[in-house]
């Protein structure tokens, strides 16, 4: 059986689904497929994400933001950056950004996904439980073979978008190489409850063996992301609750401990391998990559999904313009998209890697310089304002239609 669409999107995570919704609203006919069935059931630990003000504005433009907020959101009004055991520190507050109610919002991924998929109209045809077997391209577009429980099908489209995550089948099948490296770190995630709550503050603690972030959840708990060497990760994951709380309290240091108080409880732990993986090309003829399929970065700065939503906003913006029209298979579509996303991706990945590298050394003069550097940022309004705008994702919105 053969079906024809303007665009076929492989991967119905937040990024693929947001793209489907935005383009369907513009009148495009979209096929969206995922190897999994959709599920919005709670998970333990929760899969939590910090989205910045820029992403919030984009989701608001799609008419989703109020629905997402109603499901529950932790508001990041302040960010406290420190290096436990070293003097330097830096604080950022949303008050320094004129019109932003917060620097970011901590949300459950399932709530964001549900809000998006609830809005799908008949312009989005979904194929769940569908495995992509392969595709070929000619001058008209792409022909994709998929396998479903009912049998095999062929989907034809002017454009194929890979939104299928870090190990993207689409990227590999198109022969697009990546550059990057394994961080040789595990990201341990868990929810924790503390004596004094969070006061709408996210804490970023930088240690030589890896950073740790505490993100404020809507119910007063924190979501923890702790980057550690695998051998330490294995030990941490084997500890009981008391042992884990003890190790965590030691890691965040006395200053943060004083603010958040005693650790009262810790939920289930889960871990993820951490890597940097950037596609060498974001577009190859009629195949485009978005989200983690295009770029996977270390989660410490909380920028991966924000970056992916900017891919979506830029691509939707390009396709809204008259010159693209319905001629999606024009080579200029992919070329323009790739060109517009390259710099932002490299800037975010470069900044994240730079911060990790800066804090990775135990060499005493370097520790001392780091302390000075953080204090200098704290006391230099221009630098701080720039960092604030990047963290809130409002600095990168330039060029997007509102
Ligand atoms: C511990 C951790 C914390 C993070 N915290 C933050 C944060 O605070 N803020 C932030 O912005 N980012 C954060 N990130 C990054 C963020 O989670 C990712 O950037 C984002 O989830 C990527 O979304 P995606 O839709 O591109 O990919 P995914 O969420 O991986 O979705 C890919 C989809 O494709 C489907 N799929 C895969 N293969 C196939 C196939 N062959 N055929 C069909 N379908 C397929 C999958 O089933 C899935 O539904 C964090 C990441 C980690 C690991």
């Amino acid at each position: 059986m053969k079906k024809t669409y303007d665009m076929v999107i492989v991967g119905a995570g937040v990024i693929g689904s947001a793209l489907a919704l935005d383009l369907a609203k513009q009148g495009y006919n979209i096929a969206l497929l995922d190897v999994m069935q959709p599920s919005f059931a709670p998970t333990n630990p929760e899969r939590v994400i910090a989205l910045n003000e820029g992403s919030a504005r984009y989701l608001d433009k799609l008419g989703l933001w109020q629905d997402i907020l109603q499901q529950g959101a932790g508001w990041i009004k302040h960010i406290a950056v420190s290096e436990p055991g070293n003097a330097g520190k830096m604080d950022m507050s949303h008050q320094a950004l004129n019109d932003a109610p917060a620097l970011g919002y901590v949300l459950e991924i399932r709530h964001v996904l549900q809000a998006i998929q609830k809005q799908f109209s008949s312009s989005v045809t979904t194929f769940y439980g569908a495995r992509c077997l392969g595709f070929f391209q000619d001058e008209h577009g792409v022909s994709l073979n998929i396998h479903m429980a009912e049998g095999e099908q062929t989907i034809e489209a002017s454009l194929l978008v890979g939104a299928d995550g870090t190990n993207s089948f689409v990227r590999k099948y198109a022969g697009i190489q990546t550059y990057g490296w394994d961080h040789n770190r595990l990201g341990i995630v868990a929810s924790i409850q503390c004596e004094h709550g969070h006061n709408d503050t996210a804490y970023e603690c930088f240690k030589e063996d890896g950073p740790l972030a505490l993100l404020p959840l809507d119910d007063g708990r924190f979501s923890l992301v702790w980057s550690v060497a695998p051998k330490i990760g294995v030990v941490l994951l084997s500890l009981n609750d008391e042992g884990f709380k003890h190790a965590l309290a030691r890691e965040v240091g006395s200053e943060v401990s004083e603010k958040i108080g005693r650790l009262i409880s810790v939920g289930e732990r889960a871990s993820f391998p951490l890597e940097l993986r950037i596609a060498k090309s974001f577009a190859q003829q009629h195949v485009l990559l978005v989200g983690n399929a295009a770029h996977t970065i270390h989660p410490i700065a909380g920028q991966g999904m924000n970056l992916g939503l900017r891919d979506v906003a830029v691509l939707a913006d390009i396709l809204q313009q008259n010159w693209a029209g319905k001629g999606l298979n024009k080579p200029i579509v992919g070329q323009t998209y790739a060109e517009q996303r390259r710099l932002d991706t490299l800037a975010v990945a470069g900044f994240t890697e730079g911060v990790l590298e800066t804090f990775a050394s135990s060499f005493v003069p370097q520790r001392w310089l780091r302390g000075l550097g953080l204090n200098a940022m704290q006391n230099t309004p221009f630098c701080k304002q720039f960092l604030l705008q990047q963290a809130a994702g409002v600095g990168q919105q330039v060029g997007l239609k509102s």
Side-chain angles (χ1 to χ4, degrees):
M1 209 163 65
K2 209 182 255 188
K3 294 180 179 166
T4 304
Y5 300 87
D6 293 318
M7 178 185 284
V8 54
I9 302 170
V10 178
V14 167
I15 300 305
S17 297
L19 182 64
L21 179 63
D22 198 333
L23 294 185
K25 279 177 181 259
Q26 290 185 33
Y28 288 109
N29 189 13
I30 308 294
L32 175 67
L33 66 98
D34 202 293
V35 74
M36 307 292 286
Q37 295 294 335
S39 168
F40 310 115
T43 56
N44 192 3
E46 303 97 324
R47 283 197 62 205
V48 160
I49 202 91
L51 290 187
N52 60 29
E53 181 61 22
S55 293
R57 288 179 191 177
Y58 173 65
L59 293 169
D60 195 36
K61 192 183 126 195
L62 286 182
L64 304 168
W65 190 236
Q66 290 314 315
D67 187 10
I68 292 171
L69 281 187
Q70 272 167 17
Q71 307 294 317
W75 289 49
I76 303 177
K77 295 190 176 176
H78 313 280
I79 300 177
V81 183
S82 64
E83 183 182 9
N86 201 4
K89 61 179 178 185
M90 183 174 67
D91 300 307
M92 294 189 260
S93 168
H94 74 107
Q95 284 148 347
L97 279 181
N98 296 338
D99 54 347
L103 294 168
Y105 306 84
V106 185
L107 311 156
E108 278 197 60
I109 291 183
R110 66 190 177 104
H111 290 153
V112 181
L113 195 56
Q114 192 170 25
I116 297 171
Q117 295 191 355
K118 230 163 58 182
Q119 297 268 348
F120 282 170
S121 64
S122 56
S123 299
V124 180
T125 307
T126 52
F127 299 82
Y128 291 119
R131 186 166 292 284
C132 179
L133 301 174
F135 52 86
F136 72 86
Q137 306 188 55
D138 60 21
E139 69 273 26
H140 305 296
V142 182
S143 184
L144 183 86
N145 284 334
I146 62 169
H147 180 269
M148 298 183 70
E150 311 84 75
E152 289 189 14
Q153 293 192 33
T154 301
I155 296 178
E156 292 191 336
S158 302
L159 273 180
L160 163 63
V161 174
D164 48 347
T166 304
N167 296 312
S168 170
F169 170 86
V170 172
R171 187 186 68 222
K172 289 177 191 162
Y173 199 86
I176 299 174
Q177 307 286 313
T178 59
Y179 52 87
W181 46 79
D182 294 334
H183 280 113
N184 196 26
R185 290 286 181 277
L186 283 182
I188 296 183
V189 297
S191 301
I192 60 168
Q193 192 176 6
C194 301
E195 192 182 6
H196 303 324
H198 52 57
N199 295 313
D200 302 321
T201 304
Y203 292 92
E204 302 259 3
C205 306
F206 286 94
K207 305 273 291 185
E208 282 136 31
D209 50 351
L212 176 156
L214 292 170
L215 303 173
L217 292 169
D218 69 318
D219 61 2
R221 293 175 305 150
F222 280 109
S223 173
L224 165 73
V225 185
W226 187 358
S227 162
V228 290
K231 62 176 192 254
I232 299 175
V234 170
V235 175
L236 286 173
L237 289 168
S238 69
L239 293 175
N240 63 18
D241 288 3
E242 281 311 307
F244 191 85
K245 283 191 292 181
H246 186 71
L248 180 58
R250 207 177 43 214
E251 195 73 6
V252 297
S254 54
E255 200 170 318
V256 172
S257 281
E258 263 171 41
K259 289 195 180 123
I260 65 177
R262 197 168 44 86
L263 300 181
I264 295 171
S265 65
V266 54
E268 291 288 318
R269 275 75 80 184
S271 68
F272 300 86
L274 302 181
E275 60 188 301
L276 172 74
R277 201 69 56 207
I278 299 182
K280 286 190 175 165
S281 171
F282 287 6
Q284 191 218 63
Q285 207 181 349
H286 308 304
V287 177
L288 273 54
L289 301 175
V290 294
N292 272 30
H295 42 66
T296 296
I297 60 173
H298 194 289
I300 191 57
Q303 291 300 323
M305 190 175 281
N306 291 300
L307 202 52
L309 285 172
R310 294 206 289 279
D311 296 343
V312 172
V314 166
L315 183 54
D317 194 32
I318 291 169
L319 297 180
Q320 196 177 24
Q321 291 169 29
N322 290 337
W323 58 261
K326 289 277 175 188
L328 297 189
N329 51 7
K330 291 179 197 158
I332 196 166
V333 171
Q335 288 160 0
T336 309
Y337 166 72
E339 193 183 314
Q340 290 194 13
R341 294 309 298 142
R342 179 62 62 186
L343 198 59
D344 186 19
T345 304
L346 291 182
V348 172
F351 175 78
T352 308
E353 290 297 311
V355 169
L356 290 171
E357 194 54 38
T358 304
F359 284 92
S361 167
S362 57
F363 186 49
V364 174
Q366 209 163 331
R367 279 176 63 88
W368 180 71
L369 279 174
R370 284 200 300 257
L372 280 184
L374 274 180
N375 286 336
M377 293 271 202
Q378 170 78 355
N379 297 314
T380 312
F382 169 75
C383 288
K384 210 169 155 187
Q385 190 67 16
F386 177 76
L387 270 182
L388 259 172
Q389 291 197 328
Q390 300 305 306
V394 291
Q396 302 94 332
Q397 278 197 317
V398 184
L400 284 188
K401 281 187 176 173
S402 56

